[in-house]
Amino acid sequence: MLAASLTATVLLLTACSPSSPGGPSPEQCDRLLGHPVETESPRLILVLDRSASRWDSPLEQSSVDAIRTISETKGAASVLLVEGAGAPPRWLVEDASLNDPATGRDTAAHRTAVSRAAACLEARVVDRAPAHAGTDLGEAIRAAVERGRTLGVPVSIVIETDGLSNAGPLDLTDRVLEQSVEDTVDDLEERGWVLAAPTEMAMTFSGIARTAEGAIAPPAAEWLRTFYEEVCTRIGADPCAVSSADQGVPDGVHQASPEHEDPSVNLPSITLSREPESSSFEVAGSLLFGGNSAELRTGAETLLAPIAACLSGGGAVRVVGHAARDGASADVDQRLSEQRASAVAELLRSLAPESTITAQGMGSTQPLPPDGTADPRPQDRRVEVFVDRECT
């Protein structure tokens, strides 16, 4: 929960839901949000990341707590919607009061306003979806910070988003685990995006790597959390925090209609293909290895456990490593692909000793089907596991 002493808050939320049955009426909310706002009162800016399947999810408890805190201190709120590629963020609510400045803090009226604030604010923005495909989180953060600067008071930013920005300055397409966090943020600074925070700005990211499309692989989720920690630090916010949210979105989330779906960020993943009496797993190389390394990442055993489970009972297994054509010599690519295949095969042997497992490296001779570009692609760096049975 935010400290009551903060005099401005910027909160980036993922989505909202309608007020629950038995909540405040529209007339009661109009009165609450229509009070005059004192110049020096605390401010809360909600920036809603409602793209893809999160667009109509309810406020999370951390958000409700932040709203109640600002209401307790007789503050005001604005709501900013994250838009897609080529569109500026959209203000849905601007400077709406969250309590009556004329009431005493120990009065029943004050306590009633605090109890209604979150539901009333949520009702103003429910079912408001982006008009453009994609998620430009970078422009939303910029707009929130710039609004915070105009207040001339300390600011706290709480950012609730899955972090999967795929447009604008924070476009992470093909970057997660393929670039180091430091290099990715360095690129942002070179392009002039990283913002200078006003004095006394705190920042919290909440919900990073939380999606409805399925669990994000742990190494990718950790990269995302570390990336937003570094973004926060480079901006100059203090303190900075990134929550380690559980996978999955809150109860009550519904799949978005097609016009709200996002382009993919191309997160590294494991895919399973099945044929009668055979299966193949394709594992993104960056999930298992660092750049130009054949040393397995910490957690590789857990990541490969579902594959090992399919191998129980014995059988023939073939592990094939692949490299990308990124400027290295063919010999270097071949050696790296062989070493990576051998590392995976050795781990699988320890997990499924009854299987006969062989390893083979293909260098960069078997890129995935072309996508219209001659550039080397992260997807080409992969390890395939071929099994002589149908896995589930």
Side-chain angles (χ1 to χ4, degrees):
M1 184 183 296
L2 300 178
S5 60
L6 295 172
T7 52
T9 302
V10 182
L11 177 62
L12 280 80
L13 299 173
T14 299
C16 297
S17 66
S19 299
S20 59
S25 68
E27 293 76 15
Q28 290 169 329
C29 288
D30 287 343
R31 286 195 297 272
L32 172 60
L33 303 179
H35 290 298
V37 178
E38 296 181 345
T39 304
E40 297 302 319
S41 66
R43 297 296 200 277
L44 170 65
I45 302 179
L46 309 181
V47 182
L48 309 182
D49 176 5
R50 288 181 159 190
S51 53
S53 54
R54 301 174 61 95
W55 73 277
D56 64 346
S57 59
L59 292 176
E60 296 188 27
Q61 189 58 48
S62 59
S63 307
V64 174
D65 290 343
I67 293 169
R68 288 174 63 91
T69 296
I70 298 300
S71 179
E72 285 275 7
T73 54
K74 300 179 182 288
S78 298
V79 181
L80 179 63
L81 184 69
V82 178
E83 268 292 355
R90 181 156 40 107
W91 292 99
L92 303 179
V93 176
E94 295 194 60
D95 229 22
S97 64
L98 293 181
N99 214 315
D100 184 353
T103 61
R105 294 195 180 186
D106 295 329
T107 64
H110 178 84
R111 292 190 292 272
T112 297
V114 171
S115 69
R116 293 173 174 172
C120 286
L121 198 59
E122 186 177 43
R124 289 288 177 95
V125 298
V126 68
D127 292 336
R128 300 288 292 275
H132 299 77
T135 301
D136 192 345
L137 187 59
E139 284 305 312
I141 295 175
R142 185 199 305 276
V145 170
E146 290 177 351
R147 173 64 64 93
R149 279 205 193 97
T150 67
L151 300 174
V153 293
V155 177
S156 174
I157 302 183
V158 181
I159 304 170
E160 192 173 319
T161 174
D162 59 19
L164 298 180
S165 185
N166 50 35
L170 288 186
D171 185 354
L172 297 181
T173 302
D174 289 334
R175 290 191 173 198
V176 177
L177 286 175
E178 297 298 335
Q179 271 188 312
S180 71
V181 164
E182 291 76 13
D183 286 348
T184 304
V185 182
D186 284 346
D187 288 348
L188 291 175
E189 288 188 326
E190 289 173 6
R191 298 199 307 269
W193 178 81
V194 173
L195 311 167
T199 304
E200 298 183 68
M201 171 180 278
M203 184 176 288
T204 300
F205 287 87
S206 177
I208 297 298
R210 244 183 129 186
T211 73
E213 284 73 32
I216 294 175
E222 182 58 29
W223 189 98
L224 284 168
R225 287 190 286 267
T226 304
F227 171 74
Y228 284 103
E229 287 174 355
E230 185 66 16
V231 165
C232 182
T233 299
R234 298 281 187 101
I235 286 175
D238 183 25
C240 288
V242 176
S243 70
S244 182
D246 294 335
Q247 293 290 345
V249 294
D251 291 340
V253 176
H254 306 95
Q255 184 67 26
S257 54
E259 61 267 28
H260 301 138
E261 288 299 334
D262 273 357
S264 172
V265 177
N266 294 336
L267 293 175
S269 61
I270 300 176
T271 57
L272 167 63
S273 300
R274 288 190 293 266
E275 299 289 342
E277 300 184 359
S278 68
S279 300
S280 63
F281 295 88
E282 184 180 292
V283 186
S286 58
L287 289 179
L288 296 171
F289 306 99
N292 298 317
S293 171
E295 181 178 349
L296 287 166
R297 292 184 187 273
T298 302
E301 180 174 338
T302 301
L303 202 66
L304 294 178
I307 299 178
C310 177
L311 309 186
S312 62
V317 180
R318 185 164 56 99
V319 180
V320 181
H322 299 271
R325 292 172 293 189
D326 56 3
S329 69
D331 288 343
V332 170
D333 287 343
Q334 180 64 35
R335 184 165 56 252
L336 181 62
S337 68
E338 290 174 355
Q339 292 171 340
R340 288 183 166 185
S342 296
V344 171
E346 182 178 352
L347 178 55
L348 288 176
R349 289 188 193 106
S350 71
L351 298 174
E354 64 273 31
S355 294
T356 301
I357 302 174
T358 60
Q360 178 183 14
M362 302 305 298
S364 56
T365 63
Q366 294 185 358
L368 292 171
D371 61 357
T373 175
D375 295 334
R377 296 172 305 155
Q379 300 95 307
D380 292 335
R381 289 187 283 273
R382 65 198 191 279
V383 175
E384 295 174 306
V385 180
F386 298 92
V387 186
D388 62 354
R389 70 184 65 183
E390 189 170 349
C391 301
T392 57

PDB file of all heavy atoms in Angstrom, residues 134-164:
ATOM      1  N   GLY A 134      -2.037  -3.385 -30.432  1.00  0.00           N
ATOM      2  CA  GLY A 134      -0.713  -3.262 -29.836  1.00  0.00           C
ATOM      3  C   GLY A 134      -0.741  -2.605 -28.474  1.00  0.00           C
ATOM      4  O   GLY A 134      -1.777  -2.133 -28.005  1.00  0.00           O
ATOM      5  N   THR A 135       0.435  -2.580 -27.841  1.00  0.00           N
ATOM      6  CA  THR A 135       0.590  -1.983 -26.514  1.00  0.00           C
ATOM      7  C   THR A 135       1.809  -1.092 -26.519  1.00  0.00           C
ATOM      8  O   THR A 135       2.940  -1.593 -26.609  1.00  0.00           O
ATOM      9  CB  THR A 135       0.756  -3.070 -25.437  1.00  0.00           C
ATOM     10  OG1 THR A 135      -0.384  -3.919 -25.438  1.00  0.00           O
ATOM     11  CG2 THR A 135       0.905  -2.443 -24.052  1.00  0.00           C
ATOM     12  N   ASP A 136       1.614   0.216 -26.451  1.00  0.00           N
ATOM     13  CA  ASP A 136       2.731   1.168 -26.392  1.00  0.00           C
ATOM     14  C   ASP A 136       2.861   1.652 -24.956  1.00  0.00           C
ATOM     15  O   ASP A 136       2.442   2.756 -24.603  1.00  0.00           O
ATOM     16  CB  ASP A 136       2.478   2.325 -27.351  1.00  0.00           C
ATOM     17  CG  ASP A 136       3.723   3.188 -27.549  1.00  0.00           C
ATOM     18  OD1 ASP A 136       4.664   3.046 -26.740  1.00  0.00           O
ATOM     19  OD2 ASP A 136       3.741   3.986 -28.498  1.00  0.00           O
ATOM     20  N   LEU A 137       3.437   0.803 -24.125  1.00  0.00           N
ATOM     21  CA  LEU A 137       3.573   1.118 -22.705  1.00  0.00           C
ATOM     22  C   LEU A 137       4.541   2.275 -22.481  1.00  0.00           C
ATOM     23  O   LEU A 137       4.378   3.065 -21.554  1.00  0.00           O
ATOM     24  CB  LEU A 137       4.035  -0.126 -21.948  1.00  0.00           C
ATOM     25  CG  LEU A 137       4.082  -0.050 -20.430  1.00  0.00           C
ATOM     26  CD1 LEU A 137       2.715   0.270 -19.846  1.00  0.00           C
ATOM     27  CD2 LEU A 137       4.617  -1.357 -19.853  1.00  0.00           C
ATOM     28  N   GLY A 138       5.544   2.386 -23.343  1.00  0.00           N
ATOM     29  CA  GLY A 138       6.527   3.458 -23.181  1.00  0.00           C
ATOM     30  C   GLY A 138       5.906   4.834 -23.254  1.00  0.00           C
ATOM     31  O   GLY A 138       6.210   5.722 -22.451  1.00  0.00           O
ATOM     32  N   GLU A 139       5.009   5.061 -24.215  1.00  0.00           N
ATOM     33  CA  GLU A 139       4.368   6.371 -24.323  1.00  0.00           C
ATOM     34  C   GLU A 139       3.439   6.631 -23.142  1.00  0.00           C
ATOM     35  O   GLU A 139       3.280   7.774 -22.711  1.00  0.00           O
ATOM     36  CB  GLU A 139       3.594   6.467 -25.633  1.00  0.00           C
ATOM     37  CG  GLU A 139       4.481   6.672 -26.851  1.00  0.00           C
ATOM     38  CD  GLU A 139       5.392   7.891 -26.691  1.00  0.00           C
ATOM     39  OE1 GLU A 139       4.901   8.962 -26.296  1.00  0.00           O
ATOM     40  OE2 GLU A 139       6.594   7.756 -26.945  1.00  0.00           O
ATOM     41  N   ALA A 140       2.828   5.574 -22.606  1.00  0.00           N
ATOM     42  CA  ALA A 140       1.974   5.763 -21.429  1.00  0.00           C
ATOM     43  C   ALA A 140       2.792   6.185 -20.220  1.00  0.00           C
ATOM     44  O   ALA A 140       2.396   7.081 -19.466  1.00  0.00           O
ATOM     45  CB  ALA A 140       1.207   4.477 -21.134  1.00  0.00           C
ATOM     46  N   ILE A 141       3.942   5.544 -20.021  1.00  0.00           N
ATOM     47  CA  ILE A 141       4.804   5.932 -18.904  1.00  0.00           C
ATOM     48  C   ILE A 141       5.285   7.361 -19.081  1.00  0.00           C
ATOM     49  O   ILE A 141       5.314   8.146 -18.129  1.00  0.00           O
ATOM     50  CB  ILE A 141       5.990   4.960 -18.772  1.00  0.00           C
ATOM     51  CG1 ILE A 141       5.482   3.564 -18.388  1.00  0.00           C
ATOM     52  CG2 ILE A 141       6.992   5.457 -17.740  1.00  0.00           C
ATOM     53  CD1 ILE A 141       6.569   2.499 -18.347  1.00  0.00           C
ATOM     54  N   ARG A 142       5.643   7.712 -20.316  1.00  0.00           N
ATOM     55  CA  ARG A 142       6.091   9.088 -20.573  1.00  0.00           C
ATOM     56  C   ARG A 142       4.987  10.092 -20.214  1.00  0.00           C
ATOM     57  O   ARG A 142       5.229  11.093 -19.537  1.00  0.00           O
ATOM     58  CB  ARG A 142       6.476   9.254 -22.045  1.00  0.00           C
ATOM     59  CG  ARG A 142       7.059  10.632 -22.363  1.00  0.00           C
ATOM     60  CD  ARG A 142       7.001  10.927 -23.865  1.00  0.00           C
ATOM     61  NE  ARG A 142       7.633   9.908 -24.659  1.00  0.00           N
ATOM     62  CZ  ARG A 142       8.951   9.853 -24.917  1.00  0.00           C
ATOM     63  NH1 ARG A 142       9.754  10.778 -24.420  1.00  0.00           N
ATOM     64  NH2 ARG A 142       9.449   8.886 -25.674  1.00  0.00           N
ATOM     65  N   ALA A 143       3.768   9.817 -20.652  1.00  0.00           N
ATOM     66  CA  ALA A 143       2.662  10.730 -20.374  1.00  0.00           C
ATOM     67  C   ALA A 143       2.396  10.842 -18.876  1.00  0.00           C
ATOM     68  O   ALA A 143       2.107  11.927 -18.357  1.00  0.00           O
ATOM     69  CB  ALA A 143       1.404  10.262 -21.101  1.00  0.00           C
ATOM     70  N   ALA A 144       2.482   9.721 -18.162  1.00  0.00           N
ATOM     71  CA  ALA A 144       2.242   9.740 -16.722  1.00  0.00           C
ATOM     72  C   ALA A 144       3.310  10.549 -15.997  1.00  0.00           C
ATOM     73  O   ALA A 144       3.003  11.353 -15.102  1.00  0.00           O
ATOM     74  CB  ALA A 144       2.201   8.308 -16.184  1.00  0.00           C
ATOM     75  N   VAL A 145       4.578  10.343 -16.371  1.00  0.00           N
ATOM     76  CA  VAL A 145       5.669  11.076 -15.722  1.00  0.00           C
ATOM     77  C   VAL A 145       5.561  12.569 -16.025  1.00  0.00           C
ATOM     78  O   VAL A 145       5.737  13.423 -15.139  1.00  0.00           O
ATOM     79  CB  VAL A 145       7.036  10.530 -16.167  1.00  0.00           C
ATOM     80  CG1 VAL A 145       8.170  11.427 -15.685  1.00  0.00           C
ATOM     81  CG2 VAL A 145       7.237   9.111 -15.638  1.00  0.00           C
ATOM     82  N   GLU A 146       5.235  12.905 -17.266  1.00  0.00           N
ATOM     83  CA  GLU A 146       5.107  14.326 -17.614  1.00  0.00           C
ATOM     84  C   GLU A 146       3.961  14.975 -16.849  1.00  0.00           C
ATOM     85  O   GLU A 146       4.067  16.123 -16.406  1.00  0.00           O
ATOM     86  CB  GLU A 146       4.929  14.476 -19.119  1.00  0.00           C
ATOM     87  CG  GLU A 146       6.197  14.150 -19.897  1.00  0.00           C
ATOM     88  CD  GLU A 146       6.021  14.234 -21.399  1.00  0.00           C
ATOM     89  OE1 GLU A 146       4.856  14.384 -21.850  1.00  0.00           O
ATOM     90  OE2 GLU A 146       7.027  14.140 -22.122  1.00  0.00           O
ATOM     91  N   ARG A 147       2.832  14.246 -16.698  1.00  0.00           N
ATOM     92  CA  ARG A 147       1.735  14.792 -15.896  1.00  0.00           C
ATOM     93  C   ARG A 147       2.176  14.962 -14.443  1.00  0.00           C
ATOM     94  O   ARG A 147       1.851  15.960 -13.786  1.00  0.00           O
ATOM     95  CB  ARG A 147       0.529  13.857 -15.980  1.00  0.00           C
ATOM     96  CG  ARG A 147      -0.642  14.220 -15.053  1.00  0.00           C
ATOM     97  CD  ARG A 147      -1.270  15.570 -15.395  1.00  0.00           C
ATOM     98  NE  ARG A 147      -1.873  15.593 -16.699  1.00  0.00           N
ATOM     99  CZ  ARG A 147      -3.152  15.322 -16.935  1.00  0.00           C
ATOM    100  NH1 ARG A 147      -3.960  15.000 -15.942  1.00  0.00           N
ATOM    101  NH2 ARG A 147      -3.635  15.392 -18.162  1.00  0.00           N
ATOM    102  N   GLY A 148       2.928  13.992 -13.930  1.00  0.00           N
ATOM    103  CA  GLY A 148       3.416  14.105 -12.561  1.00  0.00           C
ATOM    104  C   GLY A 148       4.305  15.310 -12.347  1.00  0.00           C
ATOM    105  O   GLY A 148       4.259  15.953 -11.291  1.00  0.00           O
ATOM    106  N   ARG A 149       5.117  15.631 -13.363  1.00  0.00           N
ATOM    107  CA  ARG A 149       6.001  16.786 -13.244  1.00  0.00           C
ATOM    108  C   ARG A 149       5.217  18.084 -13.092  1.00  0.00           C
ATOM    109  O   ARG A 149       5.647  19.010 -12.409  1.00  0.00           O
ATOM    110  CB  ARG A 149       6.878  16.896 -14.488  1.00  0.00           C
ATOM    111  CG  ARG A 149       8.084  15.991 -14.498  1.00  0.00           C
ATOM    112  CD  ARG A 149       9.164  16.565 -15.401  1.00  0.00           C
ATOM    113  NE  ARG A 149      10.178  15.561 -15.662  1.00  0.00           N
ATOM    114  CZ  ARG A 149      10.214  14.803 -16.747  1.00  0.00           C
ATOM    115  NH1 ARG A 149       9.280  14.940 -17.670  1.00  0.00           N
ATOM    116  NH2 ARG A 149      11.172  13.926 -16.922  1.00  0.00           N
ATOM    117  N   THR A 150       4.066  18.185 -13.758  1.00  0.00           N
ATOM    118  CA  THR A 150       3.296  19.431 -13.713  1.00  0.00           C
ATOM    119  C   THR A 150       2.691  19.677 -12.332  1.00  0.00           C
ATOM    120  O   THR A 150       2.289  20.802 -12.039  1.00  0.00           O
ATOM    121  CB  THR A 150       2.165  19.415 -14.753  1.00  0.00           C
ATOM    122  OG1 THR A 150       1.197  18.414 -14.397  1.00  0.00           O
ATOM    123  CG2 THR A 150       2.699  19.123 -16.145  1.00  0.00           C
ATOM    124  N   LEU A 151       2.621  18.630 -11.507  1.00  0.00           N
ATOM    125  CA  LEU A 151       1.986  18.791 -10.196  1.00  0.00           C
ATOM    126  C   LEU A 151       2.879  19.526  -9.212  1.00  0.00           C
ATOM    127  O   LEU A 151       2.395  20.129  -8.266  1.00  0.00           O
ATOM    128  CB  LEU A 151       1.610  17.409  -9.629  1.00  0.00           C
ATOM    129  CG  LEU A 151       0.648  16.589 -10.479  1.00  0.00           C
ATOM    130  CD1 LEU A 151       0.471  15.205  -9.878  1.00  0.00           C
ATOM    131  CD2 LEU A 151      -0.686  17.301 -10.609  1.00  0.00           C
ATOM    132  N   GLY A 152       4.182  19.441  -9.416  1.00  0.00           N
ATOM    133  CA  GLY A 152       5.093  20.137  -8.522  1.00  0.00           C
ATOM    134  C   GLY A 152       5.149  19.554  -7.125  1.00  0.00           C
ATOM    135  O   GLY A 152       5.481  20.263  -6.175  1.00  0.00           O
ATOM    136  N   VAL A 153       4.800  18.284  -6.980  1.00  0.00           N
ATOM    137  CA  VAL A 153       4.795  17.619  -5.676  1.00  0.00           C
ATOM    138  C   VAL A 153       5.422  16.249  -5.834  1.00  0.00           C
ATOM    139  O   VAL A 153       5.578  15.746  -6.940  1.00  0.00           O
ATOM    140  CB  VAL A 153       3.352  17.482  -5.144  1.00  0.00           C
ATOM    141  CG1 VAL A 153       2.755  18.842  -4.829  1.00  0.00           C
ATOM    142  CG2 VAL A 153       2.483  16.718  -6.125  1.00  0.00           C
ATOM    143  N   PRO A 154       5.820  15.587  -4.722  1.00  0.00           N
ATOM    144  CA  PRO A 154       6.334  14.220  -4.826  1.00  0.00           C
ATOM    145  C   PRO A 154       5.331  13.295  -5.502  1.00  0.00           C
ATOM    146  O   PRO A 154       4.119  13.454  -5.353  1.00  0.00           O
ATOM    147  CB  PRO A 154       6.562  13.819  -3.368  1.00  0.00           C
ATOM    148  CG  PRO A 154       6.785  15.115  -2.662  1.00  0.00           C
ATOM    149  CD  PRO A 154       5.880  16.103  -3.341  1.00  0.00           C
ATOM    150  N   VAL A 155       5.840  12.343  -6.261  1.00  0.00           N
ATOM    151  CA  VAL A 155       5.003  11.460  -7.070  1.00  0.00           C
ATOM    152  C   VAL A 155       5.356  10.006  -6.767  1.00  0.00           C
ATOM    153  O   VAL A 155       6.524   9.663  -6.635  1.00  0.00           O
ATOM    154  CB  VAL A 155       5.218  11.737  -8.578  1.00  0.00           C
ATOM    155  CG1 VAL A 155       4.394  10.776  -9.430  1.00  0.00           C
ATOM    156  CG2 VAL A 155       4.874  13.179  -8.913  1.00  0.00           C
ATOM    157  N   SER A 156       4.338   9.167  -6.675  1.00  0.00           N
ATOM    158  CA  SER A 156       4.547   7.727  -6.615  1.00  0.00           C
ATOM    159  C   SER A 156       3.877   7.094  -7.823  1.00  0.00           C
ATOM    160  O   SER A 156       2.717   7.387  -8.106  1.00  0.00           O
ATOM    161  CB  SER A 156       3.957   7.142  -5.331  1.00  0.00           C
ATOM    162  OG  SER A 156       4.044   5.742  -5.345  1.00  0.00           O
ATOM    163  N   ILE A 157       4.604   6.262  -8.552  1.00  0.00           N
ATOM    164  CA  ILE A 157       4.064   5.591  -9.729  1.00  0.00           C
ATOM    165  C   ILE A 157       3.979   4.098  -9.438  1.00  0.00           C
ATOM    166  O   ILE A 157       4.986   3.463  -9.167  1.00  0.00           O
ATOM    167  CB  ILE A 157       4.947   5.822 -10.969  1.00  0.00           C
ATOM    168  CG1 ILE A 157       5.075   7.310 -11.260  1.00  0.00           C
ATOM    169  CG2 ILE A 157       4.387   5.089 -12.174  1.00  0.00           C
ATOM    170  CD1 ILE A 157       5.874   7.617 -12.499  1.00  0.00           C
ATOM    171  N   VAL A 158       2.784   3.539  -9.495  1.00  0.00           N
ATOM    172  CA  VAL A 158       2.579   2.102  -9.337  1.00  0.00           C
ATOM    173  C   VAL A 158       2.060   1.582 -10.665  1.00  0.00           C
ATOM    174  O   VAL A 158       0.974   1.950 -11.094  1.00  0.00           O
ATOM    175  CB  VAL A 158       1.584   1.782  -8.208  1.00  0.00           C
ATOM    176  CG1 VAL A 158       1.415   0.284  -8.046  1.00  0.00           C
ATOM    177  CG2 VAL A 158       2.036   2.424  -6.907  1.00  0.00           C
ATOM    178  N   ILE A 159       2.844   0.747 -11.330  1.00  0.00           N
ATOM    179  CA  ILE A 159       2.539   0.331 -12.698  1.00  0.00           C
ATOM    180  C   ILE A 159       2.032  -1.109 -12.684  1.00  0.00           C
ATOM    181  O   ILE A 159       2.782  -2.019 -12.384  1.00  0.00           O
ATOM    182  CB  ILE A 159       3.783   0.451 -13.583  1.00  0.00           C
ATOM    183  CG1 ILE A 159       4.332   1.873 -13.531  1.00  0.00           C
ATOM    184  CG2 ILE A 159       3.480   0.052 -15.019  1.00  0.00           C
ATOM    185  CD1 ILE A 159       5.677   2.031 -14.185  1.00  0.00           C
ATOM    186  N   GLU A 160       0.778  -1.298 -13.028  1.00  0.00           N
ATOM    187  CA  GLU A 160       0.204  -2.642 -13.065  1.00  0.00           C
ATOM    188  C   GLU A 160      -0.037  -3.040 -14.513  1.00  0.00           C
ATOM    189  O   GLU A 160      -0.960  -2.556 -15.167  1.00  0.00           O
ATOM    190  CB  GLU A 160      -1.092  -2.692 -12.259  1.00  0.00           C
ATOM    191  CG  GLU A 160      -1.581  -4.104 -12.027  1.00  0.00           C
ATOM    192  CD  GLU A 160      -2.756  -4.149 -11.093  1.00  0.00           C
ATOM    193  OE1 GLU A 160      -2.764  -3.406 -10.093  1.00  0.00           O
ATOM    194  OE2 GLU A 160      -3.681  -4.927 -11.366  1.00  0.00           O
ATOM    195  N   THR A 161       0.795  -3.937 -15.029  1.00  0.00           N
ATOM    196  CA  THR A 161       0.781  -4.323 -16.433  1.00  0.00           C
ATOM    197  C   THR A 161       1.518  -5.638 -16.581  1.00  0.00           C
ATOM    198  O   THR A 161       2.368  -5.966 -15.750  1.00  0.00           O
ATOM    199  CB  THR A 161       1.459  -3.248 -17.296  1.00  0.00           C
ATOM    200  OG1 THR A 161       1.566  -3.710 -18.645  1.00  0.00           O
ATOM    201  CG2 THR A 161       2.839  -2.907 -16.791  1.00  0.00           C
ATOM    202  N   ASP A 162       1.216  -6.398 -17.619  1.00  0.00           N
ATOM    203  CA  ASP A 162       1.994  -7.615 -17.849  1.00  0.00           C
ATOM    204  C   ASP A 162       3.375  -7.301 -18.416  1.00  0.00           C
ATOM    205  O   ASP A 162       4.259  -8.159 -18.446  1.00  0.00           O
ATOM    206  CB  ASP A 162       1.253  -8.595 -18.762  1.00  0.00           C
ATOM    207  CG  ASP A 162       0.916  -8.029 -20.130  1.00  0.00           C
ATOM    208  OD1 ASP A 162       1.525  -7.033 -20.536  1.00  0.00           O
ATOM    209  OD2 ASP A 162       0.027  -8.595 -20.794  1.00  0.00           O
ATOM    210  N   GLY A 163       3.589  -6.064 -18.874  1.00  0.00           N
ATOM    211  CA  GLY A 163       4.899  -5.652 -19.359  1.00  0.00           C
ATOM    212  C   GLY A 163       5.196  -6.041 -20.789  1.00  0.00           C
ATOM    213  O   GLY A 163       6.285  -5.750 -21.292  1.00  0.00           O
ATOM    214  N   LEU A 164       4.239  -6.658 -21.485  1.00  0.00           N
ATOM    215  CA  LEU A 164       4.500  -7.146 -22.839  1.00  0.00           C
ATOM    216  C   LEU A 164       4.215  -6.056 -23.865  1.00  0.00           C
ATOM    217  O   LEU A 164       3.317  -6.176 -24.704  1.00  0.00           O
ATOM    218  CB  LEU A 164       3.670  -8.397 -23.120  1.00  0.00           C
ATOM    219  CG  LEU A 164       3.977  -9.584 -22.204  1.00  0.00           C
ATOM    220  CD1 LEU A 164       3.109 -10.774 -22.563  1.00  0.00           C
ATOM    221  CD2 LEU A 164       5.456  -9.958 -22.277  1.00  0.00           C
TER     222      LEU A 164
END
